[in-house]
Amino acid sequence: MVNSCTGRMGHSAAEAVVRAGLTLVPFTLTGYSAGVAVSNIGVAGIPVEVVGKERRQDIMNRIREQHPRLIVVDYTTPNCVNDNAQFYADNGVPFVMGTTGGDPQKVAAAAEAAGVYAVVSPQMGKQVVAFQAMMQLMADSFPGVFTGYSLSVVESHQRNKADTSGTAKAVVQSFNKMGLDFKENQIRKIRDRVTQLEAMAVPEDALDGHAFHTYTLRSPDQSVEFVFKHNVTGRSIYAEGTVDAVLFLAKKMQEGAQQKVYNMIDVLREGFLR
């Protein structure tokens, strides 16, 4: 079950679910009331009913009876993240939380407290997650290696992404372990199209779906510069990673694994990739 298929990321994830041969539950929860939500939609030819917040418990009861091996994927909005996670936990439904924003620690805590299996990760792109893991490893192996250096971070996403990139925040944490003193509010967030085209070189046909990140480090005397960059156009990298997370979670459930809450690095380490 993908919530919400009304958004572009959720719709892409739902299409990936169908491509993988999994059963797509024909309901999708929106964080808003039915009066605000868009009308019913279709995913790869499958009619999907949009359910507002006021009906979600009744619909969830029906779905759980019909689909006892249900796993929920969440791509809603930042303001819905924590409430949705608590809702899934209260209903004993395993979930993959791909929505950015909210409080990931609270999301994980809700799943842990309820004994519900979950993958919680604001970044579902497997290769981007591997880059994050590489930066974490570098920070653990060489703490303070960039002491004295300056850092600039620029991230660009489609204009309807309200929050600052969770990936950028995670990479900044690794850089800070390497000796930098960089605050999350110093991340430059670009959402206007002119700057995206001219300064970030985002292709025009990717303005409505991209994730460009550039991290630049300079030595105190400006004689040394390091630039780390990862640019993504479209949403397929996240959609396919989401399916991997679902399959990983299903395997853990089948095994009765003692650990309940995971992230995408756990998925990568398991080698559970298609």
Side-chain angles (χ1 to χ4, degrees), residues 74 80-90 95 97 107 110:
D74 191 292
C80 298
V81 169
N82 294 107
D83 179 67
N84 285 354
Q86 192 61 58
F87 175 73
Y88 306 144
D90 289 345
F95 62 92
M97 179 60 74
V107 171

Side-chain angles (χ1 to χ4, degrees), residues 187-251:
I187 298 172
R188 186 183 174 199
K189 183 175 70 172
I190 296 178
R191 299 293 182 267
D192 69 280
R193 295 189 170 216
V194 173
T195 306
Q196 289 174 339
L197 288 168
E198 296 180 355
M200 299 296 290
V202 177
E204 188 169 3
D205 61 0
L207 289 173
D208 290 331
H210 71 278
F212 278 34
H213 299 73
T214 302
Y215 315 86
T216 305
L217 299 104
R218 293 187 177 89
S219 63
D221 63 0
Q222 304 295 301
S223 65
V224 181
E225 179 181 81
F226 290 87
V227 179
F228 298 87
K229 182 182 293 189
H230 53 93
N231 295 341
V232 175
T233 58
R235 297 174 175 83
S236 62
I237 186 175
Y238 312 116
E240 296 300 329
T242 300
V243 173
D244 284 332
V246 168
L247 295 174
F248 166 86
L249 205 58
K251 179 173 179 285

Side-chain angles (χ1 to χ4, degrees), residues 35-142:
V36 177
V38 300
S39 59
N40 296 342
I41 58 174
V43 175
I46 301 171
V48 177
E49 181 179 342
V50 178
V51 179
K53 193 171 183 178
E54 64 275 11
R55 293 178 57 219
R56 68 178 184 176
Q57 188 60 64
D58 290 339
I59 294 298
M60 182 59 75
N61 292 341
R62 286 171 50 190
I63 292 171
R64 290 176 62 200
E65 289 181 5
Q66 296 170 6
H67 302 277
R69 297 175 63 194
L70 174 69
I71 294 177
V72 170
V73 169
D74 191 292
Y75 280 112
T76 51
T77 56
N79 61 305
C80 298
V81 169
N82 294 107
D83 179 67
N84 285 354
Q86 192 61 58
F87 175 73
Y88 306 144
D90 289 345
N91 280 275
V93 175
F95 62 92
V96 173
M97 179 60 74
T99 310
T100 60
D103 187 328
Q105 283 73 35
K106 287 185 178 179
V107 171
E112 288 278 12
V116 168
Y117 287 96
V119 173
V120 181
S121 176
Q123 172 57 258
M124 287 290 172
K126 295 172 287 189
Q127 293 77 13
V128 179
V129 171
F131 169 76
Q132 289 180 240
M134 179 182 71
M135 300 308 291
Q136 289 179 17
L137 179 61
M138 185 175 177
D140 293 339
S141 301
F142 307 108

Side-chain angles (χ1 to χ4, degrees), residues 142-159:
F142 307 108
V145 69
F146 284 118
T147 298
Y149 275 63
S150 63
L151 173 66
S152 67
V153 180
V154 184
E155 60 94 341
S156 174
H157 287 75
Q158 58 278 3
R159 59 186 175 183

